[in-house]
Amino acid sequence: MVHLKFLTVCGLAALSSLAAALPRPSCPDRLCMQTRAYITMHQVQKELGHLLSPGSHIYSPDDQAFQELTLRYQAFMPPRIQLVVQVGKEEDVSTVISYADRNSVEFYVVNRGHGLPVSQGTFNGIQIDVGLLRNITIGKDGTYGLFQGGTFDQQVIDYLWERGYVTTTGSCACVGMLGPGLGGGHGRLQNKYGLISDNMLKINAVLANGTAITVSADSHPDLFWAMQGAGHNFAAVTSFELKIYPRGPDTWYYKTYIFTEDKLEKLFELLNVVDEGKNQTSHMLNFGSYFWNPAFDANKPVIQWDFTYIGPQSNVEARLVPFNNLGPVNVTDGNIPYPEILAATGTGLDDPLCAPGINHVVGTAGTQLCNITTQRQIFDHFVEKSAAYPGLAGTFLVMESYGVHGVVTKDPASSAFPMRDDYLLFQVSVNYASNSSLDAAAVQWARETVDMWNQGQPTRRPTTYVNYGLGDESLESIYGYEPWRMEKLLRLKKTYDPYNKFRYYVPLIRDV
Ligand SMILES: Cc1cc2nc3c(=O)[nH]c(=O)nc-3n(C[C@H](O)[C@H](O)[C@H](O)COP(=O)(O)OP(=O)(O)OC[C@H]3O[C@@H](n4cnc5c(N)ncnc54)[C@H](O)[C@@H]3O)c2cc1C
Ligand SMILES: *[C@@H]1O[C@H](CO)[C@@H](O)[C@H](O)[C@H]1NC(C)=O
Ligand SMILES: *[C@@H]1O[C@H](CO)[C@@H](O)[C@H](O)[C@H]1NC(C)=O
Ligand SMILES: *[C@@H]1O[C@H](CO)[C@@H](O)[C@H](O)[C@H]1NC(C)=O
Ligand SMILES: *[C@@H]1O[C@H](CO)[C@@H](O)[C@H](O)[C@H]1NC(C)=O
Ligand SMILES: *[C@@H]1O[C@H](CO)[C@@H](O)[C@H](O)[C@H]1NC(C)=O
Ligand SMILES: *[C@@H]1O[C@H](CO)[C@@H](O)[C@H](O)[C@H]1NC(C)=O
């Protein structure tokens, strides 16, 4: 710390400016009367290097690793990264944030780089890469694990399964635990155990001023409430305790169908029955998509639907007979251990769904049932848009029905996650290689799709799952319509992040 103060006071004049013209951090020692408005990244690299633990690395754009570490899933409005600080130990996160504060440099925590919202595009500064913080420790009594802030889905699933456990994660192998988890976190075990955030017991966090604290039901409970749903806005997480559960059946059953579009209406009729409206407690989950696959239909997109059952085929076969009878053009199935389910259902590390580097103009809606008229309307719209904009034909729609028993049985007021009565989760992702002449059409396609989903449920207000939207939706649709929710979040924001340092992922405060 002494070293840091010295450097701050004697800040050398330099050429290029990075400092944002935003509120200055507090200065408890009163020595930093002015911030170093002209600090260069070269200086930062030199100074910060001495302060970090030996396993840390600092990369500038000239380094090869920089390209890899800043490669993102979302290429539409990406953050502008000047320097990557890859932290080697949890303690380093606090060091970097304190340093950044003292020098008026912005910071942004990144793990697996799958964040989608356009607010990221306003960032210019240091990427704090937590990807090396991947340790997992199972608690003594086997009811919880301690996970570091850089853990990710496939890693967690593999690690726990080998040791006889499972926990709540997202569904895609490539995605981090906390990107989803700080905003809820939907996945294949939610019907049994709820969201990722519902299973958090303790969060080791670093606040915007660099102070490391423990956040739980007993320690800063107000912040604990906020970080279970609006967490991206409040702190960096170095590690967290999450409930874990006995792993259950040795194999899960999956069955993937591909249907041509003439089956659309009958398919959704059947799905509405399988989903039992709003109370799917059967541990059979399903999700599906619309996308182009000329191997099966050259003239129209196809409809793929995946069923996953937590247990053996024999338990669930009869329920799938109506789907067999519908006349799919292709069927794939198998009984396999849970960790293999991800790749088997198109959500594995090597699947196109996880691939980085292109634009994804997304939109999302939550509903309680599939409106079949709407599903047809959206399909036809997909066909029209693909014809009008061939450059956007890589678009897909994802429709998820994971079951909600574990989600709806939790008190909605107990966390900042506001949308427990959305039973089905829909997302449109308009995909294309970066090309600004297509941006307006992409945004329009996504918006129109979302509007149709919402018009299909005239008695409900639009909702936006924070991790699935573009981030330009209304704050109430994201963080909740009950006025007390935004009021509470903004109050906590004043307490824990008064200078709005955590504002690049669907910010609660927009007018900066
Ligand atoms: C292919 C794909 C599949 C997806 N599947 C699911 C799914 O099954 N379920 C679901 O709920 N969501 C899913 N999502 C959405 C997902 O929740 C978000 O995109 C999420 O932000 C990705 O997290 P990340 O770590 O991969 O990305 P990053 O870009 O690294 O992280 C996103 C943001 O989360 C915050 N963050 C991450 N780690 C930390 C940390 N340690 N401390 C503080 N803040 C942190 C930061 O603000 C960061 O910018 C999916 C997204 C994609 C692209
Ligand atoms: C992970 O745990 C090992 C063993 O306890 C330890 O040596 C290592 O430093 C830890 N890594 C991090 C990133 O904390
Ligand atoms: C949902 O299922 C649970 C458990 O089977 C049952 O207790 C509950 O009453 C059901 N709720 C509705 C709305 O059907
Ligand atoms: C079609 O089914 C076969 C056999 O089940 C499978 O190997 C193949 O991958 C499927 N094709 C597609 C495009 O899903
Ligand atoms: C960008 O999109 C436009 C409109 O579809 C197309 O004409 C042009 O070739 C594209 N540019 C590139 C570089 O692909
Ligand atoms: C389905 O959507 C249409 C609009 O597309 C709407 O008029 C109708 O009321 C919806 N049906 C239900 C059951 O909500
Ligand atoms: C950091 O912020 C927290 C929350 O606002 C506050 O309680 C704490 O005193 C601050 N620490 C310092 C060193 O300013």
Side-chain angles (χ1 to χ4, degrees):
M1 278 315 244
V2 171
H3 182 52
L4 192 69
K5 275 183 201 162
F6 173 77
L7 285 167
T8 307
V9 176
C10 310
L12 306 164
L15 299 170
S16 84
S17 169
L18 257 164
L22 278 156
R24 291 173 175 180
S26 64
C27 185
D29 53 22
R30 297 183 182 278
L31 290 173
C32 35
M33 290 304 285
Q34 58 195 38
T35 54
R36 299 165 70 190
Y38 296 102
I39 192 165
T40 63
M41 280 301 118
H42 180 67
Q43 275 173 278
V44 172
Q45 192 162 12
K46 244 171 67 186
E47 295 169 6
L48 197 50
H50 298 298
L51 306 174
L52 301 174
S53 72
S56 309
H57 303 276
I58 304 185
Y59 298 109
S60 66
D62 302 334
D63 299 313
Q64 207 189 336
F66 181 93
Q67 308 309 327
E68 286 159 33
L69 293 170
T70 55
L71 182 62
R72 309 184 60 78
Y73 178 80
Q74 171 67 296
F76 186 63
M77 303 192 70
R80 198 167 147 208
I81 309 297
Q82 303 280 348
L83 208 64
V84 175
V85 179
Q86 198 177 35
V87 293
K89 287 266 181 302
E90 290 185 45
E91 302 80 76
D92 294 317
V93 173
S94 164
T95 307
V96 181
I97 292 181
S98 301
Y99 178 90
D101 284 346
R102 281 165 172 266
N103 292 288
S104 283
V105 177
E106 297 302 316
F107 59 86
Y108 190 47
V109 180
V110 174
N111 181 20
R112 301 289 293 179
H114 281 65
L116 297 167
V118 291
S119 48
Q120 297 181 124
T122 64
F123 178 76
N124 184 4
I126 297 177
Q127 167 170 323
I128 302 181
D129 188 301
V130 295
L132 295 179
L133 304 179
R134 277 193 198 163
N135 276 355
I136 302 174
T137 316
I138 294 176
K140 278 196 202 81
D141 66 357
T143 63
Y144 70 94
L146 177 64
F147 301 80
Q148 285 191 320
T151 45
F152 67 98
D153 288 352
Q154 186 75 55
Q155 178 215 353
V156 165
I157 289 168
D158 290 347
Y159 184 94
L160 292 182
W161 186 262
E162 281 163 25
R163 290 160 181 81
Y165 299 100
V166 293
T167 191
T168 48
T169 68
S171 296
C172 254
C174 46
V175 170
M177 287 293 284
L178 288 168
L182 293 172
H186 288 282
R188 291 185 178 88
L189 282 160
Q190 73 174 43
N191 193 45
K192 280 189 150 184
Y193 304 125
L195 306 166
I196 298 175
S197 61
D198 294 338
N199 289 281
M200 296 258 184
L201 295 170
K202 190 199 248 187
I203 299 171
N204 295 313
V206 177
L207 298 175
N209 62 9
T211 302
I213 61 169
T214 296
V215 182
S216 71
D218 305 318
S219 171
H220 303 284
D222 52 353
L223 183 57
F224 190 50
W225 175 89
M227 290 190 75
Q228 295 168 285
H232 312 93
N233 268 275
F234 285 93
V237 180
T238 61
S239 57
F240 58 102
E241 280 181 11
L242 194 70
K243 287 185 200 165
I244 62 173
Y245 302 91
R247 78 178 199 184
D250 287 341
T251 58
W252 290 25
Y253 179 62
Y254 76 96
K255 189 163 195 174
T256 303
Y257 298 88
I258 296 177
F259 299 102
T260 47
E261 58 93 26
D262 53 305
K263 305 298 192 313
L264 186 146
E265 282 77 7
K266 284 200 178 113
L267 173 65
F268 285 112
E269 272 168 37
L270 289 176
L271 285 168
N272 278 339
V273 174
V274 164
D275 288 343
E276 293 161 20
K278 53 184 174 182
N279 201 12
Q280 191 195 74
T281 54
S282 66
H283 304 316
M284 181 169 82
L285 56 105
N286 67 77
F287 61 91
S289 52
Y290 295 166
F291 62 101
W292 284 94
N293 186 341
F296 295 108
D297 193 334
N299 303 312
K300 294 279 175 76
V302 294
I303 308 170
Q304 176 169 321
W305 221 268
D306 292 79
F307 295 88
T308 304
Y309 177 70
I310 304 176
Q313 180 175 359
S314 50
N315 286 6
V316 79
E317 230 164 8
R319 296 176 65 195
L320 294 172
V321 168
F323 297 92
N324 302 343
N325 294 341
L326 209 52
V329 287
N330 205 47
V331 180
T332 320
D333 73 344
N335 289 281
I336 52 179
Y338 171 43
E340 294 170 27
I341 287 282
L342 289 84
T345 56
T347 57
L349 284 174
D350 299 325
D351 285 311
L353 185 59
C354 280
I358 64 166
N359 286 11
H360 302 272
V361 172
V362 292
T364 185
T367 72
Q368 294 190 328
L369 262 186
C370 269
N371 182 322
I372 296 168
T373 314
T374 302
Q375 290 301 112
R376 165 57 70 187
Q377 218 183 350
I378 288 175
F379 186 93
D380 292 345
H381 180 259
F382 192 139
V383 175
E384 282 161 31
K385 291 288 183 184
S386 309
Y389 305 101
L392 303 180
T395 293
F396 56 71
L397 266 70
V398 181
M399 294 152 276
E400 298 172 344
S401 176
Y402 290 143
V404 295
H405 187 69
V407 181
V408 297
T409 44
K410 173 132 177 153
D411 175 9
S414 66
S415 79
F417 180 80
M419 48 193 71
R420 289 180 192 276
D421 54 358
D422 280 353
Y423 306 144
L424 309 179
L425 188 55
F426 297 150
Q427 187 187 45
V428 52
S429 181
V430 182
N431 305 323
Y432 57 109
S434 292
N435 179 343
S436 58
S437 71
L438 289 169
D439 290 349
V443 169
Q444 196 185 356
W445 181 344
R447 284 209 182 122
E448 287 170 359
T449 305
V450 171
D451 288 346
M452 284 186 270
W453 270 319
N454 288 323
Q455 282 153 15
Q457 48 176 357
T459 60
R460 301 184 78 235
R461 289 180 289 201
T463 52
T464 307
Y465 174 42
V466 63
N467 288 320
Y468 273 22
L470 205 53
D472 62 341
E473 304 83 357
S474 85
L475 282 170
E476 288 74 17
S477 83
I478 302 170
Y479 292 111
Y481 286 97
E482 303 104 311
W484 65 268
R485 287 191 181 272
M486 275 304 291
E487 282 161 22
K488 183 166 175 176
L489 286 168
L490 291 174
R491 207 164 56 237
L492 292 170
K493 193 71 180 159
K494 263 196 198 128
T495 306
Y496 290 105
D497 183 18
Y499 298 107
N500 201 14
K501 293 279 173 185
F502 292 97
R503 67 170 179 282
Y504 301 107
Y505 194 97
V506 197
L508 286 160
I509 302 167
R510 281 178 172 170
D511 51 343
V512 275

